[in-house]
Coordinates of all heavy atoms in Angstrom, one line a residue:
M102 N 181.3 183.8 130.4 CA 180.4 185.0 130.3 C 181.0 186.0 129.3 O 182.2 186.2 129.3 CB 180.3 185.6 131.7 CG 179.1 186.5 131.8 SD 177.6 185.6 132.2 CE 177.5 185.7 133.9
A103 N 180.2 186.5 128.4 CA 180.7 187.4 127.4 C 179.6 188.4 127.1 O 178.4 188.0 126.9 CB 181.2 186.7 126.2
N104 N 179.9 189.7 126.9 CA 178.9 190.6 126.4 C 179.0 190.6 124.9 O 180.1 190.8 124.3 CB 179.3 192.0 126.9 CG 178.9 192.2 128.4 OD1 177.8 192.1 128.8 ND2 180.0 192.4 129.2
I105 N 177.9 190.3 124.3 CA 177.9 190.2 122.8 C 176.9 191.2 122.3 O 175.7 191.3 122.8 CB 177.3 188.8 122.4 CG1 178.1 187.7 123.0 CG2 177.4 188.7 120.8 CD1 179.5 187.4 122.6
T106 N 177.3 192.0 121.3 CA 176.4 193.0 120.7 C 175.9 192.6 119.4 O 176.7 192.3 118.5 CB 177.1 194.4 120.6 OG1 177.4 194.8 121.9 CG2 176.1 195.4 120.0
F107 N 174.6 192.5 119.3 CA 173.9 192.2 118.0 C 173.4 193.4 117.3 O 172.7 194.2 118.0 CB 172.7 191.2 118.2 CG 173.1 189.9 118.8 CD1 173.2 189.7 120.2 CD2 173.4 188.8 118.0 CE1 173.5 188.5 120.7 CE2 173.7 187.6 118.5 CZ 173.8 187.4 119.9
I108 N 173.8 193.6 116.1 CA 173.3 194.8 115.4 C 172.4 194.3 114.2 O 172.9 193.7 113.3 CB 174.4 195.7 114.9 CG1 175.3 196.1 116.0 CG2 173.9 196.9 114.1 CD1 176.5 197.0 115.6
E109 N 171.1 194.6 114.3 CA 170.2 194.2 113.2 C 170.3 195.0 112.0 O 170.9 196.1 112.0 CB 168.8 194.2 113.8 CG 168.7 193.3 115.0 CD 167.3 193.1 115.5 OE1 166.5 192.7 114.7 OE2 167.1 193.2 116.7
A110 N 169.8 194.5 110.9 CA 169.9 195.3 109.6 C 169.3 196.7 109.7 O 169.7 197.6 109.1 CB 169.2 194.5 108.5
S111 N 168.3 196.8 110.6 CA 167.7 198.1 110.9 C 168.6 199.1 111.6 O 168.3 200.3 111.8 CB 166.4 197.9 111.7 OG 166.7 197.4 113.0
G112 N 169.6 198.6 112.2 CA 170.5 199.4 113.0 C 170.3 199.2 114.5 O 171.0 199.7 115.4
Q113 N 169.2 198.5 114.9 CA 168.9 198.3 116.3 C 170.0 197.4 116.9 O 170.4 196.4 116.4 CB 167.5 197.5 116.3 CG 167.1 196.9 117.7 CD 166.6 198.0 118.6 OE1 165.9 198.9 118.2 NE2 167.0 197.9 119.8
E114 N 170.5 197.9 118.0 CA 171.6 197.2 118.7 C 171.1 196.6 120.0 O 170.4 197.3 120.8 CB 172.7 198.2 119.1 CG 173.6 198.6 118.0 CD 174.8 199.4 118.5 OE1 175.3 199.1 119.6 OE2 175.3 200.2 117.7
T115 N 171.5 195.4 120.3 CA 171.2 194.8 121.6 C 172.4 194.1 122.1 O 173.1 193.3 121.4 CB 170.1 193.7 121.4 OG1 169.0 194.2 120.7 CG2 169.6 193.1 122.8
T116 N 172.8 194.4 123.4 CA 174.0 193.8 124.0 C 173.5 192.8 125.1 O 172.6 193.2 125.9 CB 174.9 194.8 124.6 OG1 175.4 195.7 123.6 CG2 176.1 194.1 125.3
I117 N 173.9 191.6 125.0 CA 173.5 190.5 125.9 C 174.7 190.0 126.6 O 175.8 189.8 126.0 CB 172.8 189.4 125.0 CG1 171.6 189.9 124.3 CG2 172.5 188.2 125.9 CD1 171.0 189.0 123.3
N118 N 174.5 189.8 127.9 CA 175.5 189.1 128.7 C 175.3 187.6 128.7 O 174.3 187.2 129.3 CB 175.5 189.7 130.2 CG 176.7 189.2 130.9 OD1 176.6 188.4 131.9 ND2 177.8 189.7 130.6
L119 N 176.1 186.9 127.9 CA 175.8 185.5 127.6 C 176.6 184.6 128.5 O 177.8 184.7 128.5 CB 176.1 185.3 126.2 CG 175.3 184.3 125.4 CD1 173.8 184.5 125.5 CD2 175.8 184.3 123.9
P120 N 175.9 183.7 129.2 CA 176.7 182.7 130.0 C 177.5 181.8 129.2 O 177.2 181.5 128.0 CB 175.6 181.9 130.7 CG 174.3 182.7 130.6 CD 174.5 183.5 129.4
D121 N 178.7 181.3 129.7 CA 179.5 180.4 129.0 C 178.7 179.2 128.5 O 177.9 178.6 129.3 CB 180.7 179.9 129.9 CG 181.7 180.9 130.0 OD1 181.6 182.0 129.4 OD2 182.7 180.6 130.8
G122 N 178.9 178.7 127.3 CA 178.3 177.5 126.8 C 177.0 177.8 126.0 O 176.5 177.0 125.3
W123 N 176.4 179.0 126.3 CA 175.2 179.4 125.5 C 175.6 179.7 124.1 O 176.7 180.4 123.9 CB 174.5 180.6 126.1 CG 173.6 180.3 127.3 CD1 173.9 179.5 128.4 CD2 172.2 180.7 127.4 NE1 172.8 179.5 129.2 CE2 171.8 180.2 128.6 CE3 171.4 181.5 126.6 CZ2 170.5 180.4 129.1 CZ3 170.1 181.7 127.1 CH2 169.7 181.2 128.3
S124 N 174.8 179.4 123.1 CA 175.1 179.8 121.8 C 174.6 181.2 121.5 O 173.7 181.7 122.2 CB 174.5 178.9 120.7 OG 173.1 179.1 120.6
L125 N 175.2 181.9 120.6 CA 174.8 183.2 120.2 C 173.3 183.2 119.8 O 172.6 184.1 120.0 CB 175.7 183.8 119.1 CG 176.9 184.6 119.5 CD1 177.8 183.8 120.5 CD2 177.7 185.1 118.4
M126 N 172.9 182.1 119.1 CA 171.5 182.0 118.7 C 170.6 181.9 119.9 O 169.6 182.6 120.0 CB 171.4 180.8 117.8 CG 169.9 180.5 117.3 SD 168.8 179.7 118.5 CE 169.4 178.1 118.4
Q127 N 171.0 181.1 120.9 CA 170.1 181.0 122.1 C 170.0 182.4 122.8 O 168.9 182.7 123.2 CB 170.8 180.0 123.1 CG 170.6 178.6 122.7 CD 171.4 177.6 123.6 OE1 172.6 177.8 123.8 NE2 170.7 176.7 124.2
G128 N 171.1 183.0 122.9 CA 171.1 184.3 123.6 C 170.2 185.3 122.8 O 169.5 186.1 123.4
A129 N 170.3 185.4 121.5 CA 169.6 186.3 120.7 C 168.1 186.0 120.8 O 167.3 186.9 121.0 CB 170.1 186.3 119.3
T130 N 167.7 184.8 120.6 CA 166.3 184.4 120.6 C 165.7 184.6 122.0 O 164.5 185.0 122.1 CB 166.0 183.0 120.0 OG1 166.8 182.1 120.8 CG2 166.4 182.9 118.6
A131 N 166.4 184.3 123.0 CA 165.9 184.5 124.4 C 165.7 185.9 124.8 O 165.1 186.2 125.8 CB 166.8 183.7 125.4
N132 N 166.4 186.8 124.1 CA 166.4 188.2 124.4 C 165.7 189.1 123.4 O 165.9 190.3 123.3 CB 167.8 188.7 124.7 CG 168.3 188.2 126.0 OD1 168.1 188.7 127.1 ND2 169.1 187.1 125.9
G133 N 164.9 188.5 122.5 CA 164.0 189.2 121.6 C 164.8 189.9 120.5 O 164.3 190.9 119.9
V134 N 165.9 189.4 120.1 CA 166.6 189.9 118.9 C 165.9 189.3 117.7 O 166.0 188.1 117.4 CB 168.1 189.6 118.9 CG1 168.8 190.0 117.7 CG2 168.8 190.2 120.2
D135 N 165.2 190.2 116.9 CA 164.4 189.7 115.8 C 165.2 189.2 114.6 O 164.7 188.4 113.9 CB 163.5 190.8 115.3 CG 162.4 191.2 116.3 OD1 162.1 190.3 117.1 OD2 162.0 192.3 116.3
G136 N 166.4 189.6 114.5 CA 167.2 189.3 113.2 C 167.7 187.8 113.2 O 168.3 187.4 112.2
I137 N 167.4 187.1 114.2 CA 167.8 185.7 114.3 C 166.6 184.8 114.5 O 165.8 185.1 115.5 CB 168.9 185.4 115.3 CG1 170.2 186.0 114.9 CG2 169.0 183.9 115.6 CD1 171.4 185.6 115.7
V138 N 166.4 183.8 113.7 CA 165.2 183.0 113.9 C 165.5 181.7 114.7 O 164.8 181.4 115.7 CB 164.6 182.6 112.5 CG1 163.3 181.7 112.7 CG2 164.2 183.9 111.7
G139 N 166.5 180.9 114.2 CA 166.8 179.7 115.0 C 165.8 178.6 114.9 O 165.5 177.9 115.8
E140 N 165.3 178.4 113.7 CA 164.1 177.5 113.4 C 164.4 176.1 113.9 O 163.5 175.4 114.4 CB 163.8 177.6 111.9 CG 162.5 177.1 111.6 CD 162.2 177.4 110.1 OE1 161.8 178.6 109.8 OE2 162.4 176.5 109.2
C141 N 165.6 175.6 113.7 CA 165.9 174.2 114.0 C 166.3 174.0 115.4 O 166.6 172.9 115.8 CB 167.0 173.6 113.0 SG 168.6 174.1 113.4
G142 N 166.4 175.0 116.2 CA 166.7 174.9 117.6 C 168.2 174.8 117.9 O 168.6 174.4 119.0
G143 N 169.0 175.0 116.8 CA 170.4 174.9 117.1 C 171.1 173.7 116.6 O 172.3 173.4 117.0
S144 N 170.5 172.9 115.8 CA 171.1 171.6 115.3 C 171.8 171.8 114.0 O 172.0 170.7 113.3 CB 170.1 170.5 115.4 OG 168.9 170.8 114.7
C145 N 172.1 173.0 113.6 CA 172.8 173.2 112.3 C 172.1 172.6 111.1 O 172.6 172.0 110.2 CB 174.2 172.6 112.4 SG 175.4 173.3 111.2
A146 N 170.7 172.9 111.1 CA 169.9 172.3 110.0 C 169.0 173.2 109.4 O 168.1 172.8 108.6 CB 169.1 171.1 110.6
C147 N 169.1 174.6 109.6 CA 168.1 175.5 109.0 C 168.7 176.7 108.4 O 168.1 177.3 107.5 CB 167.1 175.9 110.0 SG 167.7 177.0 111.3
A148 N 169.9 177.2 108.9 CA 170.6 178.4 108.4 C 169.8 179.7 108.6 O 170.0 180.7 108.0 CB 170.9 178.3 106.9
T149 N 168.8 179.6 109.6 CA 168.1 180.9 109.9 C 168.7 181.6 111.1 O 168.1 182.4 111.7 CB 166.6 180.6 110.2 OG1 166.5 179.8 111.4 CG2 165.9 179.9 109.0
C150 N 170.0 181.3 111.4 CA 170.7 182.0 112.5 C 171.9 182.6 111.9 O 172.9 182.8 112.6 CB 171.0 181.0 113.6 SG 172.1 179.7 113.1
H151 N 171.9 182.9 110.6 CA 173.0 183.4 109.9 C 173.4 184.8 110.5 O 172.6 185.6 110.8 CB 172.6 183.6 108.4 CG 173.6 184.2 107.5 ND1 173.3 184.9 106.4 CD2 175.0 184.2 107.6 CE1 174.4 185.3 105.7 NE2 175.4 184.9 106.5
C152 N 174.7 185.0 110.7 CA 175.2 186.3 111.2 C 176.6 186.6 110.6 O 177.2 185.7 110.0 CB 175.3 186.3 112.7 SG 176.5 185.1 113.4
Y153 N 176.9 187.9 110.7 CA 178.2 188.3 110.2 C 179.0 188.7 111.4 O 178.7 189.7 112.1 CB 178.1 189.5 109.3 CG 177.2 189.3 108.1 CD1 176.0 190.0 107.9 CD2 177.5 188.3 107.1 CE1 175.2 189.8 106.8 CE2 176.7 188.1 106.0 CZ 175.5 188.8 105.8 OH 174.7 188.6 104.7
V154 N 180.1 188.0 111.7 CA 181.0 188.3 112.8 C 182.0 189.4 112.5 O 182.5 189.4 111.4 CB 181.7 187.0 113.2 CG1 182.7 187.2 114.3 CG2 180.7 185.9 113.7
D155 N 182.2 190.3 113.4 CA 183.2 191.3 113.3 C 184.5 190.7 112.7 O 185.1 189.8 113.4 CB 183.4 192.0 114.6 CG 184.5 193.0 114.6 OD1 185.0 193.4 113.5 OD2 184.9 193.5 115.7
E156 N 184.9 191.1 111.6 CA 186.1 190.4 110.9 C 187.3 190.4 111.8 O 188.1 189.5 111.7 CB 186.3 191.1 109.6 CG 185.1 191.0 108.7 CD 185.5 191.1 107.2 OE1 186.7 191.3 106.9 OE2 184.6 190.9 106.3
A157 N 187.5 191.5 112.5 CA 188.7 191.6 113.4 C 188.7 190.5 114.5 O 189.8 190.2 115.0 CB 188.8 193.0 114.0
R158 N 187.6 189.9 114.7 CA 187.5 188.9 115.8 C 187.3 187.5 115.3 O 187.2 186.6 116.1 CB 186.3 189.3 116.7 CG 186.3 190.7 117.4 CD 187.4 190.8 118.5 NE 187.3 189.8 119.5 CZ 186.5 189.9 120.6 NH1 185.8 191.0 120.8 NH2 186.5 189.0 121.5
L159 N 187.4 187.3 114.0 CA 187.1 186.0 113.5 C 188.1 185.0 114.1 O 187.8 183.8 114.4 CB 187.3 186.0 112.0 CG 186.0 186.4 111.2 CD1 186.4 186.4 109.7 CD2 184.9 185.5 111.4
G160 N 189.3 185.4 114.3 CA 190.4 184.5 114.9 C 190.1 184.1 116.3 O 190.7 183.2 116.8
D161 N 189.2 184.8 117.0 CA 188.8 184.4 118.4 C 187.8 183.3 118.4 O 187.5 182.7 119.5 CB 188.2 185.6 119.1 CG 189.2 186.7 119.3 OD1 190.5 186.4 119.3 OD2 188.8 187.9 119.5
L162 N 187.3 182.9 117.3 CA 186.3 181.9 117.2 C 186.9 180.6 116.7 O 187.7 180.6 115.8 CB 185.2 182.3 116.2 CG 184.0 183.1 116.7 CD1 184.5 184.5 117.2 CD2 183.0 183.3 115.6
P163 N 186.4 179.4 117.2 CA 186.8 178.2 116.6 C 186.3 178.2 115.1 O 185.3 178.8 114.8 CB 186.0 177.1 117.4 CG 185.6 177.8 118.6 CD 185.4 179.3 118.3
P164 N 187.1 177.6 114.2 CA 186.6 177.6 112.8 C 185.3 176.8 112.6 O 185.0 175.9 113.5 CB 187.8 176.9 112.1 CG 188.6 176.2 113.1 CD 188.3 176.9 114.4
P165 N 184.6 177.1 111.6 CA 183.3 176.4 111.3 C 183.6 174.9 111.0 O 184.6 174.6 110.4 CB 182.7 177.1 110.1 CG 183.9 177.9 109.5 CD 184.9 178.1 110.6
S166 N 182.7 174.1 111.4 CA 182.8 172.7 111.1 C 182.3 172.5 109.7 O 181.8 173.4 109.0 CB 181.8 171.9 112.0 OG 180.5 172.3 111.7
E167 N 182.5 171.3 109.1 CA 182.1 170.9 107.8 C 180.6 171.1 107.7 O 180.0 171.6 106.7 CB 182.5 169.5 107.4 CG 183.9 169.3 107.1 CD 184.3 170.1 105.8 OE1 183.6 170.2 104.9 OE2 185.4 170.7 105.9
A168 N 179.9 170.7 108.7 CA 178.4 170.8 108.7 C 178.0 172.2 108.7 O 177.0 172.6 107.9 CB 177.8 170.1 110.0
E169 N 178.7 173.1 109.4 CA 178.3 174.5 109.4 C 178.6 175.1 108.0 O 177.8 175.8 107.4 CB 179.1 175.3 110.4 CG 178.7 176.8 110.5 CD 179.4 177.6 111.5 OE1 180.0 177.0 112.4 OE2 179.3 178.8 111.5
L170 N 179.7 174.7 107.4 CA 180.1 175.3 106.1 C 179.1 174.8 105.0 O 178.6 175.6 104.2 CB 181.5 174.8 105.7 CG 182.6 175.4 106.4 CD1 184.0 174.7 106.1 CD2 182.7 176.9 106.1
D171 N 178.6 173.6 105.2 CA 177.6 173.1 104.2 C 176.3 173.9 104.4 O 175.7 174.3 103.4 CB 177.2 171.6 104.5 CG 178.3 170.7 104.0 OD1 179.2 171.2 103.2 OD2 178.3 169.5 104.3
M172 N 175.9 174.1 105.6 CA 174.6 174.8 105.9 C 174.7 176.3 105.5 O 173.7 176.9 105.1 CB 174.3 174.7 107.4 CG 172.8 175.0 107.7 SD 171.6 174.3 106.7 CE 171.9 172.5 106.9
L173 N 175.9 176.8 105.5 CA 176.1 178.2 105.1 C 175.8 178.4 103.6 O 175.6 179.5 103.1 CB 177.5 178.7 105.5 CG 177.7 179.1 106.9 CD1 179.2 179.3 107.2 CD2 177.0 180.5 107.2
E174 N 175.8 177.3 102.9 CA 175.4 177.4 101.4 C 174.0 177.8 101.3 O 173.5 178.1 100.2 CB 175.6 176.0 100.8 CG 177.0 175.4 101.0 CD 178.0 175.7 99.8 OE1 177.5 176.0 98.7 OE2 179.2 175.7 100.1
N175 N 173.2 177.6 102.3 CA 171.7 177.8 102.2 C 171.2 179.0 102.9 O 170.0 179.2 103.1 CB 171.0 176.6 102.9 CG 171.4 175.3 102.3 OD1 171.4 175.1 101.1 ND2 171.9 174.3 103.1
V176 N 172.1 180.0 103.2 CA 171.6 181.2 103.9 C 170.8 182.0 102.9 O 171.0 182.0 101.7 CB 172.7 182.0 104.5 CG1 173.4 181.3 105.6 CG2 173.8 182.4 103.4
A177 N 169.8 182.7 103.4 CA 168.9 183.5 102.6 C 169.5 184.8 102.1 O 169.1 185.3 101.0 CB 167.6 183.8 103.4
S178 N 170.3 185.4 102.9 CA 171.0 186.7 102.5 C 172.4 186.4 102.0 O 172.9 185.2 102.1 CB 171.1 187.6 103.8 OG 169.8 188.0 104.2
E179 N 173.0 187.4 101.5 CA 174.4 187.2 100.9 C 175.3 186.5 101.9 O 175.4 186.9 103.1 CB 174.9 188.6 100.6 CG 176.3 188.6 100.1 CD 176.9 190.0 100.1 OE1 176.3 191.0 100.6 OE2 178.0 190.2 99.6
R180 N 176.0 185.5 101.4 CA 177.1 184.9 102.2 C 178.4 185.7 102.1 O 178.7 186.0 100.9 CB 177.3 183.5 101.8 CG 178.3 182.8 102.7 CD 178.5 181.3 102.2 NE 179.5 180.7 103.0 CZ 179.9 179.4 102.8 NH1 179.3 178.7 101.9 NH2 180.9 178.9 103.5
R181 N 179.0 186.0 103.2 CA 180.3 186.8 103.1 C 181.4 186.0 103.8 O 181.1 185.0 104.5 CB 180.1 188.1 103.9 CG 179.0 189.0 103.3 CD 178.8 190.2 104.1 NE 177.6 190.9 103.6 CZ 176.9 191.9 104.3 NH1 177.4 192.2 105.5 NH2 175.9 192.5 103.7
P182 N 182.6 186.4 103.7 CA 183.7 185.7 104.3 C 183.6 185.6 105.8 O 184.1 184.6 106.4 CB 185.0 186.5 103.9 CG 184.6 187.2 102.7 CD 183.1 187.5 102.8
N183 N 182.9 186.5 106.4 CA 182.7 186.5 107.9 C 181.3 185.9 108.3 O 180.8 186.1 109.4 CB 182.9 187.9 108.5 CG 181.9 188.9 107.9 OD1 181.4 188.7 106.8 ND2 181.7 190.0 108.6
S184 N 180.6 185.2 107.3 CA 179.4 184.6 107.7 C 179.6 183.4 108.6 O 180.5 182.6 108.3 CB 178.7 184.1 106.4 OG 178.1 185.1 105.6
R185 N 178.7 183.3 109.6 CA 178.7 182.1 110.5 C 177.3 181.9 110.9 O 176.4 182.7 110.7 CB 179.5 182.4 111.8 CG 181.0 182.6 111.6 CD 181.8 181.4 111.2 NE 181.6 180.3 112.0 CZ 182.5 179.9 113.0 NH1 183.6 180.5 113.1 NH2 182.2 178.8 113.7
L186 N 177.1 180.7 111.5 CA 175.8 180.3 112.1 C 175.9 180.6 113.6 O 176.7 180.0 114.2 CB 175.4 178.9 111.7 CG 175.2 178.6 110.3 CD1 174.9 177.1 110.1 CD2 174.2 179.5 109.6
A187 N 175.0 181.4 114.0 CA 175.0 181.8 115.5 C 174.8 180.6 116.4 O 175.2 180.7 117.6 CB 174.0 182.9 115.7
C188 N 174.2 179.6 116.0 CA 173.9 178.4 116.9 C 175.2 177.6 117.1 O 175.2 176.8 118.0 CB 172.8 177.5 116.4 SG 173.2 176.6 114.9
Q189 N 176.2 177.9 116.2 CA 177.4 177.1 116.3 C 178.5 177.8 117.0 O 179.6 177.3 117.2 CB 177.9 176.7 114.9 CG 176.9 175.8 114.1 CD 176.5 174.5 114.9 OE1 177.4 173.7 115.1 NE2 175.2 174.4 115.2
I190 N 178.2 179.0 117.5 CA 179.2 179.8 118.3 C 178.8 179.8 119.7 O 177.7 180.4 120.1 CB 179.3 181.2 117.7 CG1 179.7 181.2 116.2 CG2 180.4 182.0 118.5 CD1 179.6 182.5 115.5
K191 N 179.6 179.3 120.6 CA 179.3 179.2 122.0 C 180.1 180.3 122.8 O 181.2 180.6 122.5 CB 179.8 177.9 122.6 CG 179.1 176.7 121.9 CD 177.7 176.4 122.4 CE 177.2 175.1 122.0 NZ 176.4 175.1 120.8
A192 N 179.4 180.9 123.7 CA 179.9 182.0 124.5 C 181.1 181.5 125.4 O 181.0 180.4 125.9 CB 178.9 182.7 125.3
S193 N 182.1 182.4 125.5 CA 183.2 182.1 126.4 C 183.9 183.5 126.6 O 183.6 184.4 125.8 CB 184.2 181.1 125.9 OG 184.9 181.7 124.8
A194 N 184.7 183.6 127.6 CA 185.4 184.8 127.9 C 186.2 185.4 126.6 O 186.3 186.6 126.5 CB 186.3 184.7 129.0
A195 N 186.6 184.5 125.8 CA 187.3 184.9 124.6 C 186.5 185.7 123.6 O 187.1 186.5 122.8 CB 187.8 183.6 123.8
L196 N 185.2 185.7 123.8 CA 184.3 186.5 122.9 C 183.8 187.8 123.5 O 183.0 188.5 122.9 CB 183.1 185.6 122.5 CG 183.4 184.3 121.8 CD1 182.0 183.7 121.2 CD2 184.4 184.5 120.7
E197 N 184.4 188.1 124.6 CA 184.0 189.4 125.3 C 184.0 190.6 124.3 O 185.0 190.8 123.6 CB 184.9 189.7 126.5 CG 184.6 191.0 127.2 CD 183.2 191.2 127.7 OE1 182.5 190.2 128.1 OE2 182.7 192.3 127.6
G198 N 182.9 191.3 124.2 CA 182.8 192.5 123.4 C 182.6 192.2 121.9 O 182.6 193.2 121.1
L199 N 182.3 191.0 121.6 CA 182.1 190.6 120.2 C 180.9 191.4 119.6 O 179.9 191.5 120.2 CB 181.9 189.1 120.0 CG 181.7 188.6 118.6 CD1 183.1 188.7 117.9 CD2 181.2 187.2 118.6
I200 N 181.1 191.9 118.4 CA 180.0 192.5 117.6 C 179.6 191.6 116.5 O 180.4 191.2 115.7 CB 180.4 193.9 117.1 CG1 180.7 194.8 118.3 CG2 179.3 194.5 116.2 CD1 181.2 196.2 118.0
V201 N 178.3 191.4 116.4 CA 177.7 190.5 115.4 C 176.6 191.3 114.6 O 175.7 191.8 115.2 CB 177.1 189.3 116.1 CG1 176.4 188.4 115.0 CG2 178.2 188.5 116.8
H202 N 176.8 191.4 113.3 CA 175.8 192.0 112.5 C 174.8 190.9 111.9 O 175.3 189.8 111.6 CB 176.4 192.8 111.3 CG 177.1 194.0 111.7 ND1 176.6 195.3 111.7 CD2 178.4 194.2 112.3 CE1 177.4 196.2 112.2 NE2 178.5 195.5 112.5
L203 N 173.6 191.3 111.8 CA 172.6 190.4 111.3 C 172.1 190.8 109.9 O 172.0 191.9 109.6 CB 171.4 190.3 112.3 CG 171.8 190.0 113.7 CD1 170.6 189.9 114.7 CD2 172.5 188.6 113.8
P204 N 171.8 189.8 109.1 CA 171.4 190.0 107.7 C 170.0 190.6 107.6 O 169.2 190.6 108.6 CB 171.5 188.7 107.0 CG 171.3 187.7 108.1 CD 171.9 188.3 109.4
E205 N 169.6 191.1 106.4 CA 168.3 191.6 106.1 C 167.2 190.6 106.4 O 166.2 191.0 106.9 CB 168.2 192.0 104.7 CG 169.0 193.2 104.2 CD 168.3 194.5 104.5 OE1 167.1 194.5 104.7 OE2 169.0 195.5 104.5
T206 N 167.5 189.4 106.0 CA 166.4 188.4 106.2 C 167.1 187.0 106.4 O 168.2 186.8 106.0 CB 165.5 188.3 104.9 OG1 164.5 187.3 105.1 CG2 166.3 187.9 103.7
Q207 N 166.3 186.1 107.1 CA 166.8 184.8 107.4 C 166.0 183.7 106.6 O 166.3 182.6 106.6 CB 166.7 184.5 108.9 CG 167.5 185.3 109.8 CD 169.0 184.9 109.8 OE1 169.4 184.1 109.0 NE2 169.7 185.6 110.6
E208 N 164.9 184.2 105.9 CA 164.1 183.2 105.2 C 163.7 183.7 103.8 O 163.7 184.9 103.6 CB 162.8 182.9 106.0 CG 163.2 182.3 107.4 CD 162.0 182.2 108.3 OE1 161.5 183.2 108.7 OE2 161.6 181.1 108.6
Ligands
FES1039 S1 169.5 177.5 114.5 FE1 169.3 176.2 112.7 S2 171.2 176.2 111.8 FE2 171.4 177.5 113.5

C-alpha cells in the first residue's frame, strides 16, 4: 500500500492510496485523474501513461525495462530524465509518499 500524489499539468492534485501490485496507471484511471489515459490497458504499447517521477525518488523504483525505454521514445510531451510509464510502476510500501507530475498532453 502506498499513498501516491498525482499532480496534473493544471496543478490539480490527487492523492490515491494504492494497493500493492496496482500500477500507477491503474490507480490514476480508476480515480478520475485526467492526465493519464492508459489506452493500451497497461501492456506497455501506447505511451499514454507518461509521467514524471519525483527525481529524488527515482532510486526507489525498479529501473525501466527495454520495452518501457523503447515506448518512452513515443511520448507526446517532452521526454525528461525522470520520464516513466505509469503502467510499468507497481505500488509497494517503497513508494509511500511518491509525487508524480503529469505532462500537458498524452496524445
Ligand atoms: S498504458 Fe499503454 S503504455 Fe502504459
Side-chain angles (χ1 to χ4, degrees):
M102 199 79 98
N104 288 296
I105 310 287
T106 298
F107 296 89
I108 304 179
E109 302 190 49
S111 65
Q113 171 75 38
E114 280 190 35
T115 308
T116 299
I117 297 170
N118 190 249
L119 209 54
D121 284 358
W123 278 52
S124 75
L125 269 52
M126 181 280 284
Q127 287 175 305
T130 55
N132 288 278
V134 175
D135 289 334
I137 287 188
V138 178
E140 201 169 277
C141 75
S144 50
C145 199
C147 72
T149 64
C150 62
H151 180 203
C152 64
Y153 302 117
V154 173
D155 178 9
E156 298 204 357
R158 301 289 305 274
L159 277 176
D161 294 337
L162 274 61
S166 65
E167 283 299 317
E169 181 179 348
L170 289 171
D171 283 351
M172 195 50 58
L173 280 166
E174 309 265 335
N175 300 311
V176 293
S178 294
E179 178 194 5
R180 181 179 177 182
R181 300 177 188 162
N183 59 339
S184 285
R185 294 293 305 260
L186 295 180
C188 71
Q189 301 300 301
I190 302 171
K191 302 281 193 267
S193 70
L196 299 191
E197 174 57 33
L199 183 71
I200 296 173
V201 174
H202 288 263
L203 303 180
E205 290 275 344
T206 183
Q207 295 283 6
E208 297 172 294

